[in-house]
């Protein structure tokens, strides 16, 4: 069973071994969603509570998925972690987690998504870029609509939806207490992204 | 006389079958494992240090 400790160790290891390459990676997929779930759980907001899965069906992704990098670059940079199975293609595994790659998303452009990413930091100080909640929501929604989803995608979509709306609500709260120009710009940008990419979330807010 | 029974292709049934195969291959976590994942005071913490929108000048 993959745990948060596995995830943290994998991120720290990848960063330690090749910080230049790791700094260009963008975390996507289920583990990105679960990071937002942790933030919602920590905030404990009564309006935007951390979603509760409707079953204990597998919640996590087997892979730690990245984009904005080439898988070939990873294989070259981390030869110690290449696993050669008896059948099938070689893959990378770090701290018990298989590393997955997506050249492009179903809905997002990796370059733009990297620019719009959120930055997280591990306890050991590894910074890592994570797909923003609106693009994450839209990606999960597209996978579900195309019939390419896995059971956990519904829960991950719900998390991204909740966090995207929570983020906007927090921006409004901050502007209310500190009515600065930068806080106003933040509201406008978050609103514009939601309207452009997931207008249904604005309607639910 | 044996009669061949033809089951018409049904997208829902195909979807269910696909998910069943996936479940058998990947496994499901137990309730306790689910709580370990979703409970924030277990395991390492991750800090959000930069929100894209906050970096706007």
């Amino acid at each position: 069973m993959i745990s948060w400790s596995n995830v943290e160790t994998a991120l720290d290891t990848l960063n330690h071994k090749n910080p230049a390459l790791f700094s260009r990676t963008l975390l996507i997929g289920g583990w990105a969603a679960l990071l937002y779930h942790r933030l919602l759980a920590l905030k404990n907001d009564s309006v935007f509570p951390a979603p509760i899965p409707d079953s204990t069906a597998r919640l996590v992704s087997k892979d730690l998925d990245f984009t904005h990098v080439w898988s070939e670059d990873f294989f070259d940079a981390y030869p110690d972690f290449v696993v050669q199975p008896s059948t099938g293609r070689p893959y990378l595994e770090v701290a018990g987690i298989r590393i997955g790659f997506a050249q492009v998303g179903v809905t997002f452009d990796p370059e733009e998504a990297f620019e719009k990413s959120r930055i997280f930091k591990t306890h050991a100080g590894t910074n890592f870029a994570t797909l923003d909640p609106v693009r994450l929501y839209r990606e999960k929604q597209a996978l579900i609509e195309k019939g390419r989803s896995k059971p956990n995608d519904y829960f991950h979509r719900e998390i991204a939806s909740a966090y995207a709306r929570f983020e906007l609500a927090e921006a409004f709260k901050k502007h209310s207490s500190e009515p600065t120009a930068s806080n106003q710009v933040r509201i406008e940008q978050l609103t514009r992204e939601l309207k452009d990419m997931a207008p249904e979330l604005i309607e639910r807010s | 006389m044996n009669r061949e029974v033809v089951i018409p292709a049904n997208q829902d049934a195909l979807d269910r079958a696909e998910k069943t195969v996936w479940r058998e291959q990947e496994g499901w976590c137990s309730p306790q494992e689910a709580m370990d994942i979703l409970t924030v005071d277990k395991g390492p913490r991750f800090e959000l240090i930069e929100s894209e929108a906050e970096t706007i000048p």
Side-chain angles (χ1 to χ4, degrees), chain A residues 136-201:
Chain A
L136 181 60
Y137 165 83
R138 199 169 65 151
E139 185 76 0
K140 294 291 181 183
Q141 176 73 2
L143 287 170
I144 290 167
E145 286 178 356
K146 287 174 180 289
R148 290 169 50 189
S149 62
K150 291 180 177 175
N152 52 9
D153 280 332
Y154 293 85
F155 181 53
H156 295 161
R157 178 186 61 175
E158 189 181 357
I159 295 168
S161 161
Y163 193 83
R165 289 179 291 127
F166 167 76
E167 195 175 51
L168 180 59
E170 286 290 289
F172 273 107
K173 269 190 208 170
K174 191 170 181 182
H175 184 260
S176 177
S177 60
E178 298 172 45
T180 63
S182 65
N183 285 340
Q184 179 61 38
V185 169
R186 185 177 188 216
I187 289 173
E188 289 169 4
Q189 182 159 22
L190 289 174
T191 304
R192 187 167 55 246
E193 293 230 310
L194 273 169
K195 280 183 177 174
D196 288 347
M197 293 189 284
E200 66 273 26
L201 297 187

Side-chain angles (χ1 to χ4, degrees), chain A residues 1 4 8 37-38 41-42 56-58 60 62 117-121 127 150-151 163 185-186 189, chain B residues 22 26-29 31 33-34 37-38 40 42 44-54 56:
Chain A
M1 180 69 194
W4 281 111
E8 184 181 44
H37 188 279
R38 290 177 74 86
L42 282 168
T56 56
R58 185 181 171 87
V60 300
K62 188 179 175 186
S117 64
R118 306 294 184 262
I119 307 297
F120 284 82
K121 184 173 75 173
N127 291 358
K150 291 180 177 175
Y163 193 83
V185 169
R186 185 177 188 216
Q189 182 159 22
Chain B
W22 181 85
E26 303 295 334
W28 296 72
C29 65
E33 286 170 332
I37 294 162
L38 298 173
V40 292
K42 290 196 174 189
R45 288 178 182 269
F46 298 86
E47 182 185 356
L48 177 66
I49 60 168
E50 182 183 320
S51 175
E52 171 268 331
E54 287 177 342
I56 298 168

Side-chain angles (χ1 to χ4, degrees), chain A residues 1-185:
Chain A
M1 180 69 194
I2 297 168
S3 72
W4 281 111
S5 293
N6 296 107
V7 174
E8 184 181 44
T9 302
L11 293 168
D12 287 337
T13 302
L14 291 169
N15 181 53
H16 178 71
K17 296 275 185 185
N18 195 322
L21 177 60
F22 187 70
S23 68
R24 301 202 305 270
T25 62
L26 177 66
L27 179 66
I28 58 175
W31 286 103
L34 288 169
L35 277 169
Y36 292 120
H37 188 279
R38 290 177 74 86
L39 290 182
L40 288 171
L42 282 168
K43 292 288 183 181
N44 198 25
D45 189 287
S46 59
V47 179
F48 300 102
I52 298 169
D54 57 9
S55 77
T56 56
R58 185 181 171 87
L59 301 171
V60 300
S61 299
K62 188 179 175 186
D63 297 353
L64 197 55
D65 294 318
F66 296 106
T67 188
H68 199 244
V69 284
W70 296 101
S71 61
E72 292 83 0
D73 290 345
F74 257 63
F75 276 82
D76 290 343
Y78 304 106
D80 296 346
F81 302 107
V82 175
V83 176
Q84 181 67 64
S86 54
T87 59
R89 301 171 64 179
Y91 60 90
L92 281 164
E93 186 178 290
V94 184
I97 306 180
R98 188 162 166 160
I99 307 298
F101 300 95
Q103 282 189 8
V104 293
V106 175
T107 58
F108 64 83
D109 167 59
E111 287 291 336
E112 183 190 46
F114 186 73
E115 287 177 16
K116 300 287 185 180
S117 64
R118 306 294 184 262
I119 307 297
F120 284 82
K121 184 173 75 173
T122 69
H123 186 68
T126 297
N127 291 358
F128 58 101
T130 302
L131 186 64
D132 70 276
V134 180
R135 285 175 180 76
L136 181 60
Y137 165 83
R138 199 169 65 151
E139 185 76 0
K140 294 291 181 183
Q141 176 73 2
L143 287 170
I144 290 167
E145 286 178 356
K146 287 174 180 289
R148 290 169 50 189
S149 62
K150 291 180 177 175
N152 52 9
D153 280 332
Y154 293 85
F155 181 53
H156 295 161
R157 178 186 61 175
E158 189 181 357
I159 295 168
S161 161
Y163 193 83
R165 289 179 291 127
F166 167 76
E167 195 175 51
L168 180 59
E170 286 290 289
F172 273 107
K173 269 190 208 170
K174 191 170 181 182
H175 184 260
S176 177
S177 60
E178 298 172 45
T180 63
S182 65
N183 285 340
Q184 179 61 38
V185 169

